[in-house]
Amino acid sequence: MSKRKGTTEAKLENTRRYVRAFGEMAGFMDRIDDVRHAIQRGYAEAIQQPPSFDSHGSILGRESPRQEQVSRKAAWIASHRLGSRAFCVMNQLVQCQAGRYFSPLLQQVEMLGYPTRPVPFESFVPLAKQRRAMARIDALFVDPVSMRLTVVKGCSVEQLQRRLDRDASVMEENLWVRHRQLALAREVPTKHIATLVLAEMILRSALPDWDVDTMLVAVEREDCSWNYEGIQFSGTALAELAEQWNPVREEQVIWSADAAGVLAFGSTELDRLPRVPAKEPLNGLPVDRATRCRMVLETLWLQQAGVDGLAVGGRGEIATAVEDRYLIHYSQDLRRHDFEDCLAIGGFIERPRYAGKCYALTPLGVFEALLSRRQIEPEMRTPQSPDPASHLVSSVHNQARLWARYTEGEQVIVGAA
């Protein structure tokens, strides 16, 4: 590595890093103490606020796809209603590799220690494709006590079709009307139901001793409203489905918010983290992209803490550590999106120039990891804990120091274990 670092190209890259760092610091060098105090003050205020759906998802950036927001919201609501952890948020239902079908849902169940039986995917998948079954589900809940599996598919109200009955009192511009007959005024896309039916077929075949429920959760995606409906489709057969749209019967609606958005346990409560008992705080949250990214940062921070060197690890190495720590199935397609499209673009992790395809925490990544753990773990906010703001600044400063030493060629890389 020393020969490569002596090349003109390497020296020029180091110079560019110095220029970037200098450019970022130049406007603050004469008031560095003010900046430090501003960081400490902002951090101290942030960790005193209860984390919410939006604050948890802020790691995704402002351009999070609309469908992802629908999926996250559906999983979040279902987790509140069921009091259980939502796995497999926006996971593919079926994948095919080297001509062999498999399901990430079953891999997740097996990660939790429950064996599954072989599934005749070749019989199920073509039938579901005829009904345009979608590629992904939005949550899987596993209740080993009652031996029950619940699959959730999210849907925005914009994706639902209102019946063309112009005289019905429920036919208003706002779908969340003052009557609970709301569901009777709409039809559900066949592709959403077919996805749930395929998931039920797979799970019943793999785990015949378990009960399986399927649920469509309709939400509003554009604003802060927590209006929703949970529509049950358990036991539905593919042959029963119409070509494009299927009416909803009143008895299928088992979860509902009223017209004003005043929920049984309060809209403010829904906006907060689901109350799922867990020894590891992140294990109580829906396993969506925001949670997975925070799991990656926490894993890297634990590997970096106490090491006088830049701790690096490959994407597969880090993802395996996340799987082992949090008992989640972390598929290849999700890893790529999380690492490259969120964490790297957001500046939370970066590839050191001479570490191949490995990643390391940036100072911003340290900030986000510490903020996340302090917000989610209430016991971290007790008076007995060290001053969090001072600890943050020293940790961020130390990570910046490690990067500077690495850039100058004085740093030994420590492999992430």
Side-chain angles (χ1 to χ4, degrees):
M1 186 176 74
S2 59
K3 290 183 179 179
R4 293 180 61 190
K5 291 183 77 67
T7 65
T8 302
E9 178 187 357
K11 291 180 179 179
L12 181 58
E13 178 59 30
N14 283 350
T15 302
R16 290 188 178 119
R17 175 176 282 276
Y18 291 141
V19 170
R20 286 195 295 269
F22 181 79
E24 292 172 354
M25 293 187 301
F28 303 102
M29 292 176 67
D30 59 342
R31 52 191 183 98
I32 191 67
D33 288 337
D34 292 340
V35 173
R36 181 186 296 109
H37 293 153
I39 294 173
Q40 291 176 324
R41 185 167 55 252
Y43 179 71
E45 292 174 357
I47 64 175
Q48 295 303 319
Q49 301 301 316
S52 66
F53 176 82
D54 288 333
S55 67
H56 184 66
S58 63
I59 194 172
L60 303 177
R62 295 182 178 179
E63 302 303 322
S64 178
R66 288 181 175 180
Q67 184 54 48
E68 182 172 23
Q69 290 297 89
V70 170
S71 299
R72 290 188 62 235
K73 197 175 246 189
W76 199 272
I77 289 170
S79 186
H80 274 284
R81 292 298 310 237
L82 296 172
S84 181
R85 185 185 186 190
F87 293 98
C88 301
V89 179
M90 286 198 78
N91 277 207
Q92 291 193 45
L93 176 54
V94 178
Q95 293 180 314
C96 185
Q97 189 172 17
R100 184 182 68 87
Y101 285 111
F102 60 94
S103 174
L105 274 66
L106 299 184
Q107 291 175 309
Q108 177 60 66
V109 172
E110 291 168 357
M111 282 285 295
L112 297 175
Y114 308 110
T116 62
R117 295 183 181 181
V119 174
F121 288 101
E122 293 77 8
S123 301
F124 294 163
V125 173
L127 293 174
K129 284 185 176 179
Q130 292 176 10
R131 297 299 185 187
R132 299 181 179 86
M134 302 169 76
R136 299 178 185 273
I137 61 102
D138 292 328
L140 170 68
F141 295 87
V142 181
D143 184 353
V145 176
S146 63
M147 295 187 68
R148 182 176 299 276
L149 302 164
T150 303
V151 181
V152 170
K153 182 67 183 173
C155 184
S156 70
V157 293
E158 291 88 349
Q159 293 173 298
L160 304 183
Q161 175 170 285
R162 290 180 289 180
R163 294 183 184 176
L164 301 178
D165 181 1
R166 298 298 180 185
D167 296 327
S169 62
V170 293
M171 294 304 299
E172 299 181 11
E173 185 63 27
N174 181 3
L175 287 176
W176 307 103
V177 296
R178 59 181 174 274
H179 304 289
R180 194 180 179 280
Q181 298 167 328
L182 166 63
L184 304 181
R186 288 186 275 123
E187 296 180 331
V188 176
T190 295
K191 61 183 181 180
H192 288 72
I193 307 175
T195 308
L196 292 171
V197 173
L198 176 58
E200 183 175 355
M201 293 166 65
I202 292 171
L203 292 171
R204 288 191 184 279
S205 178
L207 297 134
D209 296 329
W210 290 61
D211 293 323
V212 181
D213 291 334
T214 57
M215 180 83 63
L216 182 82
V217 177
V219 301
E220 288 181 299
R221 68 185 183 190
E222 297 296 341
D223 56 22
C224 299
S225 168
W226 282 99
N227 284 310
Y228 69 92
E229 279 190 345
I231 307 170
Q232 194 170 50
F233 285 98
S234 308
T236 303
L238 287 172
E240 300 174 15
L241 302 182
E243 183 65 25
Q244 290 186 316
W245 298 93
N246 294 266
V248 176
R249 301 187 307 274
E250 184 174 7
E251 61 269 22
Q252 289 179 269
V253 182
I254 63 173
W255 299 343
S256 184
D258 66 20
V262 180
L263 313 179
F265 38 80
S267 57
T268 301
E269 185 71 17
L270 263 186
D271 189 50
R272 294 177 180 170
L273 303 186
R275 294 178 178 176
V276 178
K279 182 179 294 185
E280 174 65 53
L282 284 172
N283 275 348
L285 303 183
V287 188
D288 56 14
R289 188 156 65 111
T291 299
R292 292 193 307 268
C293 287
R294 294 186 185 281
M295 289 174 173
V296 169
L297 294 182
E298 175 70 5
T299 299
L300 282 171
W301 169 245
L302 292 175
Q303 293 168 347
Q304 180 66 76
V307 177
D308 191 24
L310 198 61
V312 302
R315 190 169 68 192
E317 185 181 6
I318 298 168
T320 299
V322 169
E323 285 185 319
D324 293 342
R325 181 176 179 81
Y326 298 103
L327 291 180
I328 66 168
H329 172 63
Y330 205 168
S331 62
Q332 294 288 342
D333 63 312
L334 297 179
R335 298 177 187 184
R336 179 174 56 82
H337 287 298
D338 295 352
F339 280 70
E340 298 177 11
D341 298 341
C342 180
L343 293 173
I345 288 180
F348 304 107
I349 61 175
E350 188 176 328
R351 284 179 175 171
R353 180 175 176 81
Y354 302 103
K357 294 184 178 181
C358 292
Y359 291 95
L361 270 182
T362 64
L364 180 60
V366 170
F367 168 84
E368 197 66 31
L370 292 178
L371 176 62
S372 179
R373 60 162 37 195
R374 291 272 181 172
Q375 283 188 319
I376 295 172
E377 297 185 65
E379 63 272 18
M380 297 289 287
R381 298 200 295 268
T382 61
Q384 289 75 23
S385 61
D387 177 43
S390 297
H391 178 251
L392 168 80
V393 171
S394 63
S395 299
V396 169
H397 179 267
N398 185 63
Q399 195 70 5
R401 179 182 63 84
L402 294 177
W403 273 98
R405 285 173 53 189
Y406 175 77
T407 300
E408 294 170 358
E410 300 175 4
Q411 184 57 46
V412 178
I413 300 174
V414 180

